Every structure is written in C-alpha cells, then in structure tokens.
Amino acid sequence: MLPERSKRYAGIDGEIPRLILASNWQLALVALLVLALLFLIFPRQTLVQKLYEQESLDELTQSYIQNLYRADRKNADIGILLTRAQQDSLDIKTLEDRLLASVDADDARQRTNSRIMLARAYEKALTGNPGEPERQRLTAQLTAILEKVSVEPISASMSRFFAGAAFDLRLPHLGLVFLAQVGDEEPIKTLEQYGKKWLGQGDYEVAAQYFLMARDQTADPDEARRLFQRGIGSLMAASRFKQAMQASDTHLGNLSGDAATLRYLVRTAQAAGEPVRAADYAHRLVFQASRSKRQP
C-alpha cells in the first residue's frame, strides 16, 4: 500500500506539502557545531602559522582564504596571506590598500611580509616607466620602507634583497648599511658592479657616485687609483667639470702623494678649464718627485 501522500495528485488535491527534515534553528545549531568543531581541530593561529610557512597555496586554500578575507577585511594576517598568493596579478593600489596598514605593525611577521611585498611591487612599478608624479611617489614610498627596515635586525637574505633595492634606487649609502648587516666581504665589488650598470645606462653622475664610494672603501693604492679615476672620469664624460674637480678633492685621500694620480689630475684639470688647479697638482707632483729623489 502506498502512503496517503503518494496517492495525491497536484492540481486535484492541491500542492503537495514538503516534508520538513529540520527547522531553521536546528540548521543554525548544526552550523555552529561544525564551526566550533573546526575551530577546535584547526585553531586560528595554528592555521595562520601553517599558511605562512607554505611557499605557495593551492587553489582550494586560496579560495578558502579569500572567503575569510571577504568576511573580515580587517584581519591583517588573512589579508597578507591572500595578497602573497595573488601579488603577481594585483595592481599597486590594491596592494597598498591591503598592506600599508601593516608596514608598521607590532607583529614582526606581518610587518616583514608587508614590507617585502610592497618593496617588490614598487620596484616592479618603477621599471614600467610611470609618469613623473607617480615615479616620485613610488620612490618616496620605497625609500621610506628601506629606511625603516635599515634600523631593524633582519635575516641575511632580506638584507641582500633590500640592499639591491637601495642600490637600484640610487641610494648607495643605504645599500651599504644592509650589506654591513650580512657582513658582506666584497662591498667594493658590489659598488663597482652598480657603477658599471649605471655607466652602461648613460647615467654618468650616479655611476661616479658608486665608483667613488667604492674608492673610499679600499685602502689598496692600485685599486683606489683605478676606482678614483673611473669616478672622476664618469663626471668628466657628463661634462660635470666643476663637480669632477670638487669630487677630486673630496675623494683624493691617500692618493694625495701618488704620482700617477697627480699626473691624471693635471690633465683632468686642464680639460676642465681650470689651469690654476692644474698648476697646483703639477706643483704637488714636482714636490713629490723631488722628495722621492732626496730619500736614500
């Protein structure tokens, strides 16, 4: 025998009533129980920690994090994790909206991740040849991050990353601060490499700055002479004659009695249209030669 409900026809006996499996309050209770169970199995901080430790997130995890972020956009950890997974496809404005508030966070993990992602984003944006107002804004933002990081203890890999960012931003002094944190034994080589880079791009003044900073880092006369001449020569190539002569006095240092350097400066001063200065260098050269002859 069929139950009474099965014998009824729609249209004759009216709409067939739906069986009620559970009331709304019962469904709400089940949902709360499931959430409570998930919270017990996966405590929030433990879950966040595990997600931070993962190099990449699968699509399912990304979708889960995105839903969490939609529910709570003020959750810094979730915002950072979601941004880290999507950073290659996000524009600067979205990145800043999500991360700028965490740049100075008390939580070191939030602070570090936000700074690294923003620094990379600013570097990438600067290579895209933005308009001058935007370039100035990006440069100022990146410089501010570098200055904040430079006074905090960070890992060796981070120090190298931020050093590269500083050198690319034409901030060699700041780059040296980061290199000092990792005990870089070859800052001279690094500075010279960047000097060659800027020289190859035709930015002679910046190249000179790097060459002369490298010169100041070495006490070896031969290396100092070579870097000194590259730095002054870069300024001369840019027709920055007055600046070249001023830099000569500033960075001469232990080369003040070096005959080869003095001969170079005589020629350079003459080329710069400063005969008085050339005569001074020539006088020093003669004096140096006479003193050498008097020595037994």
Side-chain angles (χ1 to χ4, degrees):
M1 295 292 293
L2 293 172
E4 288 298 319
R5 184 173 181 276
S6 302
K7 296 178 182 179
R8 300 177 63 184
Y9 293 90
I12 298 176
D13 298 318
E15 185 179 353
I16 300 175
R18 302 185 59 166
L19 294 177
I20 300 176
L21 299 178
S23 62
N24 291 335
W25 71 268
Q26 289 173 323
L27 291 174
L29 180 61
V30 171
L32 287 173
L33 289 173
V34 171
L35 289 174
L37 182 62
L38 287 173
F39 181 80
L40 291 173
I41 297 174
F42 300 108
R44 177 183 162 190
Q45 290 304 319
T46 302
L47 177 60
V48 168
Q49 175 64 34
K50 289 185 178 297
L51 292 175
Y52 267 118
E53 291 172 357
Q54 294 182 19
E55 292 293 329
S56 60
L57 304 177
D58 56 55
E59 291 184 8
L60 182 60
T61 305
Q62 286 187 42
S63 178
Y64 173 68
I65 294 174
Q66 194 159 16
N67 287 330
L68 289 178
Y69 184 69
R70 285 171 181 165
D72 183 8
R73 292 183 178 273
K74 293 183 179 180
N75 188 313
D77 285 316
I78 298 302
I80 290 169
L81 288 167
L82 180 61
T83 305
R84 194 176 69 176
Q86 301 175 335
Q87 59 184 310
D88 293 334
S89 60
L90 298 176
D91 57 34
I92 284 291
K93 184 180 184 308
T94 303
L95 282 162
E96 289 181 327
D97 288 344
R98 292 184 184 179
L99 301 176
L100 275 178
S102 300
V103 165
D104 296 317
D106 293 332
D107 186 289
R109 184 172 55 193
Q110 294 175 4
R111 192 168 63 241
T112 299
N113 278 273
S114 297
R115 289 173 176 178
I116 289 177
M117 283 190 283
L118 281 172
R120 286 175 176 161
Y122 289 141
E123 279 198 302
K124 182 179 178 180
L126 284 167
T127 60
N129 296 320
E132 190 56 31
E134 179 65 2
R135 174 176 291 280
Q136 291 180 6
R137 190 188 75 82
L138 294 171
T139 300
Q141 291 285 75
L142 180 51
T143 302
I145 288 177
L146 293 174
E147 289 174 345
K148 289 175 181 179
V149 178
S150 67
V151 296
E152 297 180 7
I154 56 177
S155 66
S157 60
M158 284 181 59
S159 291
R160 292 189 180 92
F161 165 72
F162 284 117
F167 287 135
D168 286 334
L169 204 60
R170 308 178 186 189
L171 298 173
H173 292 88
L174 203 52
L176 285 178
V177 171
F178 288 114
L179 289 184
Q181 291 184 14
V182 295
D184 192 327
E185 298 178 356
E186 297 183 333
I188 298 169
K189 182 178 179 181
T190 301
L191 288 167
E192 186 176 8
Q193 286 175 344
Y194 275 93
K196 291 177 180 177
K197 171 187 172 180
W198 294 116
L199 192 63
Q201 294 182 11
D203 203 331
Y204 296 101
E205 291 183 70
V206 177
Q209 185 180 10
Y210 279 89
F211 287 134
L212 293 172
M213 281 192 68
R215 176 265 171 278
D216 293 340
Q217 295 286 316
T218 182
D220 179 80
D222 293 333
E223 190 170 46
R225 183 188 309 113
R226 178 178 62 81
L227 292 168
F228 177 82
Q229 291 186 17
R230 291 210 72 170
I232 301 303
S234 296
L235 290 171
M236 292 293 293
S239 299
R240 301 292 185 181
F241 303 136
K242 184 176 181 179
Q243 190 176 342
M245 293 297 95
Q246 291 174 344
S248 297
D249 292 338
T250 303
H251 298 278
L252 188 58
N254 61 350
L255 297 173
S256 59
D258 181 68
T261 300
L262 290 172
R263 282 194 293 270
Y264 170 78
L265 287 175
V266 169
R267 297 192 301 271
T268 302
Q270 289 173 341
E274 295 199 24
V276 175
R277 190 184 292 266
D280 177 61
Y281 288 133
H283 176 74
R284 295 191 207 180
L285 181 60
V286 171
F287 176 77
Q288 186 67 24
S290 343
R291 199 171 82 174
S292 297
K293 288 180 181 178
R294 287 197 300 269
Q295 290 178 350

